[in-house]
Amino acid sequence: SKKDAQEAADWLVDRFSRLVPGLAVTASVDAGGGQYLVALATGRR
């Protein structure tokens, strides 16, 4: 479900921000084909 995908995205952002403090990590959830795609993005330093 979209809620599950958003929870996974939030969890991933939290984990990556703990692994690399100071790295700007964002996540998006996109619907497609009856499923959801979680995409992570980082800003350049």
Side-chain angles (χ1 to χ4, degrees), residues 11-36:
W11 183 85
L12 285 167
V13 168
D14 178 63
R15 295 298 162 222
F16 272 86
S17 65
R18 289 178 189 217
L19 285 171
V20 186
L23 180 66
V25 179
T26 59
S28 63
V29 176
D30 300 311
Q35 299 178 10
Y36 293 94

